[in-house]
């Protein structure tokens, strides 16, 4: 029996779009996302120790919840410790960076989670031989939608179909059309 391969990527670019950045005079038209700087996307798949995701409807509260991710990585060098000034990602380990989890099975890649990092927590080893972990927590786009303060949808009109109204709201918060 074939086991899926889990892939984990951290995208250090800003903004909601998950595509690789395209700087003018480089990049792939129709694929990359227009940006003012190259995107740094780091594959952390080989250091993942554990992944937990939760999303969907909370049956007890009868509400839909923001999706969450807990990604635990082995971080012996402190590369993902925001306080490590000599780390390769120092200054980039800030909230709202993007994280994606996919699973590859039978040569097909399936999306598992796409979201935005809310925190990095690095363990402090008690002994020199202890494994150091950094736990990254993230939320999906529903948290961003929840935090957007839309009071008036200027592009909406009476008689809109549901899809038109949803698109008007997403336009209002400048959500990328490629992610709808």
């Amino acid at each position: 029996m074939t086991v899926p391969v889990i892939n984990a990527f951290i995208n250090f670019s800003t903004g909601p779009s998950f595509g690789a950045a395209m700087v003018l005079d480089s990049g792939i038209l129709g694929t990359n996302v227009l940006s003012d700087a190259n995107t740094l996307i780091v594959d952390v798949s080989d250091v993942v120790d554990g992944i937990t995701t939760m999303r969907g409807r909370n049956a007890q509260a009868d509400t839909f919840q923001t999706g969450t991710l807990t990604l635990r990585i082995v971080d012996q060098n402190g590369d993902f410790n925001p306080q490590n000034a000599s780390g390769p990602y120092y200054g980039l380990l800030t909230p709202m960076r993007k994280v994606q989890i996919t699973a590859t099975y039978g040569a097909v890649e399936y999306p598992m989670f796409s979201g935005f990092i809310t925190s990095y927590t690095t363990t402090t080893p008690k002994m020199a031989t202890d494994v150091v972990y950094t736990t990254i927590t993230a939320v999906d786009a529903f948290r961003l939608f929840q935090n957007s303060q839309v009071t008036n949808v200027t592009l909406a009109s009476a008689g809109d179909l549901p899809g038109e109204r949803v698109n008007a709201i997403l336009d209002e918060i400048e959500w990328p059309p490629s992610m709808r």
Side-chain angles (χ1 to χ4, degrees), residues 12-97:
F12 288 109
S13 65
T14 57
S17 192
F18 283 84
M22 181 186 87
V23 179
L24 293 178
D25 296 329
S26 67
I28 303 169
L29 288 174
T31 301
N32 298 139
V33 178
L34 189 61
S35 179
D36 59 356
N38 285 323
T39 303
L40 175 59
I41 300 174
V42 179
D43 183 350
V44 295
S45 305
D46 59 338
V47 292
V48 169
D49 182 63
I51 297 173
T52 304
T53 62
M54 293 180 10
R55 72 178 69 179
R57 183 174 173 271
N58 179 331
Q60 293 176 343
D62 196 28
T63 60
F64 284 89
Q65 306 276 330
T66 297
T68 60
L69 165 75
T70 302
L71 173 65
R72 187 168 115 159
I73 60 175
V74 176
D75 193 14
Q76 287 300 106
N77 299 325
D79 292 347
F80 295 93
N81 181 344
Q83 298 175 344
N84 180 6
S86 63
Y89 311 115
Y90 182 74
L92 297 173
L93 299 169
T94 59
M96 301 313 290
R97 300 299 185 172

Side-chain angles (χ1 to χ4, degrees), residues 100-173:
Q100 281 189 303
I101 308 297
T102 62
T104 304
Y105 183 76
V108 177
E109 188 172 69
Y110 297 94
M112 303 301 291
F113 183 89
S114 292
F116 304 89
I117 296 172
T118 56
S119 69
Y120 306 82
T121 307
T122 302
T123 61
T124 304
K126 294 178 183 170
M127 310 266 305
T129 57
D130 287 351
V131 177
V132 178
Y133 298 101
T134 294
T135 301
I136 296 170
T137 56
V139 293
D140 66 12
F142 283 107
R143 174 66 61 88
L144 300 181
F145 299 153
Q146 177 185 9
N147 290 340
S148 60
Q149 300 295 317
V150 176
T151 56
N152 186 22
V153 183
T154 57
L155 301 173
S157 60
D160 280 351
L161 295 174
E164 293 170 319
R165 182 60 57 93
V166 168
N167 276 320
I169 293 168
L170 293 175
D171 288 342
E172 193 74 30
I173 64 172

